Amino acid sequence: MNVRLPSVRHPHSFYDVFSVVAIAVAIVALVLTVRYGEVIRLEMVAFMAIVFLWAGWAIERILAESEDRSKRRRRREPPWD
């Protein structure tokens, strides 16, 4: 059984995006339970904004790669199959 870590630079599936976002939420929850102040809250908001922007980029990239793979597959297959 092959298990790979989620990729931040080259996400390949929904599980990569979900894993990174889940880990980020856990980190924010841990930080906010240990330290709670105005500056810390602002930092966590900025961190989560960056994570959600990354998630949007990652989903867009995954969908674009999927479309490219689909186009290549359609060109390879004969139309009578």
Side-chain angles (χ1 to χ4, degrees):
M1 181 174 172
N2 263 346
V3 177
R4 66 176 182 80
L5 293 173
S7 177
V8 176
R9 290 185 189 169
H10 304 289
H12 295 290
S13 68
F14 165 76
Y15 297 108
D16 288 338
V17 178
F18 179 76
S19 299
V20 170
V21 172
I23 291 168
V25 169
I27 290 170
V28 168
L30 180 67
V31 168
L32 289 177
T33 56
V34 173
R35 300 211 25 124
Y36 190 77
E38 188 67 30
V39 175
I40 299 296
R41 285 190 295 167
L42 288 174
E43 289 175 353
M44 293 299 105
V45 167
F47 176 68
M48 287 309 294
I50 290 169
V51 168
F52 282 114
L53 286 173
W54 174 85
W57 168 82
I59 290 169
E60 180 66 31
R61 179 182 168 143
I62 291 167
L63 291 175
E65 287 179 0
S66 174
E67 182 182 17
D68 291 344
R69 267 187 264 127
S70 177
K71 286 179 182 177
R72 282 191 303 244
R73 190 177 305 131
R74 269 189 263 142
R75 277 191 299 232
R76 265 194 332 225
E77 293 176 357
W80 54 84
D81 278 348

